[in-house]
Amino acid sequence: MLPVRGGDGRKLTVWGIRTTWSTVGDGEFFCPACGGDRNYRRRTGRRRFTVVGVPLLPRGSAGPVVECQGCRERFDVDVLDHLTTTRFTAMLRDAVHTVALAVLAAGGTASRSALEAAVSAVRAAGFQDCAEEQLESLVEALSTDQGRLGLYDVPECCGAALSIELHEALEPLAPHLAGPGRESILLQGARIALADGPYTPAEREVLSTVGAALRIDTDEVVRLLSAVRAP
């Protein structure tokens, strides 16, 4: 905008470019400026050349942008690629739960110490009401479901359905975790496996699948599993 001063000394805008914004969507996102989950509006704009505030000629489009409804800051739309705190917490909780079930299914639920280790991990992840009986029932139910986690007794392929379940739970989360975070999930599974004695071949295969889904190098997975000590 080009300002000039009127006869009374006030600034008047003679000409310039004005952007008119329209809302095309909304939702919740993690706002980098606020540092937390906030509501947002996805907006697009139209630029126009104005004279004395009157729009005359189009000058192209603006955006799309994401506008925080808290601080009103605007960001590129790729800010929506970042998980909200709520979504991240839920994905992390579900990942630990899936790993715990997979390890129990590979090693069996006869061991009370393994069940206790699994319950402890799942509760710490956010399922605070989890009980041994619940995990036991889930493993039993899943082991008879041939469409999902019913291939635990096929160690040579880790169970194709089991592998799919682990990848679905872990792969979307992996890019949002630093190295120590990915390792922590693997090590929780390792401690469950070791709670009732050394790794079985089926448990090692499950944990290798966990490592691959978390984008941990194969050699690093072997090193981490070897470094864990039985409780």
Side-chain angles (χ1 to χ4, degrees):
M1 297 290 185
L2 177 65
V4 297
R5 293 190 179 275
D8 58 1
R10 291 184 300 174
K11 287 186 177 180
L12 302 175
T13 299
V14 178
W15 60 267
I17 302 295
R18 175 178 295 176
T19 303
T20 303
W21 295 96
S22 300
T23 299
V24 295
D26 56 26
E28 186 179 58
F29 81 131
F30 182 85
C31 176
C34 295
D37 295 348
R38 297 290 186 272
N39 292 324
Y40 73 84
R41 292 186 296 180
R42 186 183 178 114
R43 315 196 77 189
T44 58
R46 291 185 176 277
R47 295 190 180 98
R48 289 184 176 274
F49 177 77
T50 65
V51 175
V52 196
V54 178
L56 297 178
L57 300 173
R59 282 294 182 265
S61 59
V65 298
V66 172
E67 181 181 273
C68 176
Q69 293 196 46
C71 66
R72 302 300 178 184
E73 287 286 333
R74 293 180 180 143
F75 308 93
D76 291 335
V77 292
D78 59 7
V79 74
L80 299 180
D81 293 338
H82 301 284
L83 297 177
T84 63
T85 303
T86 301
R87 178 61 178 152
F88 176 78
T89 301
M91 290 176 67
L92 184 59
R93 178 193 62 201
D94 292 344
V96 173
H97 189 263
T98 302
V99 170
L101 285 177
V103 173
L104 286 176
T109 58
S111 167
R112 188 59 51 189
S113 57
L115 276 170
E116 289 175 352
V119 168
S120 178
V122 171
R123 285 178 177 172
F127 286 109
Q128 297 179 356
D129 295 331
C130 178
E132 293 178 17
E133 293 76 14
Q134 291 175 319
L135 290 184
E136 224 170 354
S137 297
L138 281 171
V139 171
E140 182 179 353
L142 292 172
S143 66
T144 60
D145 184 354
Q146 297 299 322
R148 294 179 67 78
L149 299 180
L151 301 179
Y152 295 120
D153 56 344
V154 189
E156 61 269 23
C157 68
C158 172
L162 168 58
S163 178
I164 291 172
E165 290 288 334
L166 287 170
H167 280 277
E168 286 181 347
L170 300 176
E171 282 186 341
L173 178 63
H176 303 282
L177 288 172
R182 297 195 298 271
E183 293 175 4
S184 175
I185 295 176
L186 174 65
L187 294 176
Q188 288 182 70
R191 293 186 185 100
I192 295 170
L194 289 173
D196 58 352
Y199 300 117
T200 66
E203 287 171 341
R204 279 192 176 275
E205 187 143 8
V206 166
L207 292 170
S208 294
T209 301
V210 170
L214 289 170
R215 302 183 181 181
I216 303 175
D217 181 77
T218 302
D219 292 339
E220 184 64 8
V221 169
V222 173
R223 186 191 70 79
L224 288 168
L225 295 184
S226 298
V228 181
R229 293 290 178 264

